[in-house]
Amino acid sequence: GESSYNRNWLTKAYGLDAISSFLKEPVICSGSTMGEQVAIGTYLRAMVAEFDETKCKMKGCDQGFHNYLLYSHKLDGAAGIRSVKVHAQGDGIINNLGVMRTKPLSEWGIFDVDRKEVLNWDKSVSPVVHQFDRDNELNNVIKERKRQMAKKWKEQRQ
């Protein structure tokens, strides 16, 4: 709700009158969308239709489209979509870390430094982590793992 970026994308694409009823709602990241193939196909066609209708070319308009589709309920009853579910950050299959930038993840208690694992709020291991690069400590761990994997792969090829 407090993202000036999301507000700008939505306002540019739809105008303030069309979005005022949901400006205070949480911003839902378009980069962590998942579903059955038929539902994702319908969602993607709806995203393209939003571009076609609004002609919004600002970097990030897809984020605005995503939130507009959700909060305007345009996907409710769409072919192939049984339901739209939004999970709170840290409570679901995809843990979106982009909103956690105000302090290191380890200080939030959702990055186990010893085990090098990202956790959900219930302390279970997050199955999927999105925007890991927003946290320096975790990003360094991922970069090191990548270097180790590349080294091992090169050694196996020799």
Side-chain angles (χ1 to χ4, degrees):
E2 300 302 318
S3 170
S4 61
Y5 292 108
N6 196 57
R7 181 186 178 95
N8 288 340
W9 296 320
L10 287 167
T11 304
K12 173 75 173 166
Y14 301 102
L16 195 53
D17 288 345
I19 62 165
S20 61
S21 65
F22 53 81
L23 273 179
K24 300 260 188 232
E25 296 294 333
V27 178
I28 307 302
C29 181
S30 59
S32 55
T33 302
M34 62 179 287
E36 296 174 318
Q37 181 180 357
V38 65
I40 292 296
T42 298
Y43 164 78
L44 292 174
R45 283 187 292 281
M47 290 286 283
V48 170
E50 293 306 305
F51 172 77
D52 290 345
E53 288 173 28
T54 66
K55 306 292 189 243
C56 182
K57 294 180 183 175
M58 286 174 63
K59 179 181 178 187
C61 268
D62 62 309
Q63 186 73 38
F65 299 160
H66 178 81
N67 280 272
Y68 183 79
L69 289 171
L70 174 68
Y71 291 121
S72 69
H73 303 283
K74 278 185 97 171
L75 294 176
D76 293 0
I81 297 180
R82 285 183 279 155
S83 65
V84 175
K85 295 180 185 173
V86 176
H87 295 276
Q89 189 283 322
D91 180 33
I93 295 172
I94 301 172
N95 194 343
N96 189 326
L97 304 177
V99 298
M100 310 299 293
R101 293 182 234 193
T102 57
K103 61 184 178 182
L105 295 176
S106 56
E107 289 183 28
W108 284 105
I110 61 170
F111 179 55
D112 186 319
V113 177
D114 296 327
R115 293 183 0 215
K116 295 180 173 52
E117 294 176 333
V118 176
L119 307 173
N120 284 332
W121 292 113
D122 67 1
K123 301 302 180 197
S124 63
V125 176
S126 297
V128 177
V129 176
H130 181 56
Q131 297 182 330
F132 67 85
D133 59 329
R134 304 319 199 261
D135 182 80
N136 288 333
E137 194 171 33
L138 178 57
N139 195 26
N140 289 335
V141 168
I142 298 298
K143 285 179 180 178
E144 180 57 30
R145 283 185 183 171
K146 183 180 173 184
R147 279 191 288 276
Q148 290 172 3
M149 290 172 70
K151 181 181 176 187
K152 184 177 179 181
W153 180 76
K154 286 178 184 177
E155 289 170 355
Q156 290 174 343
R157 291 188 60 201
Q158 295 176 355

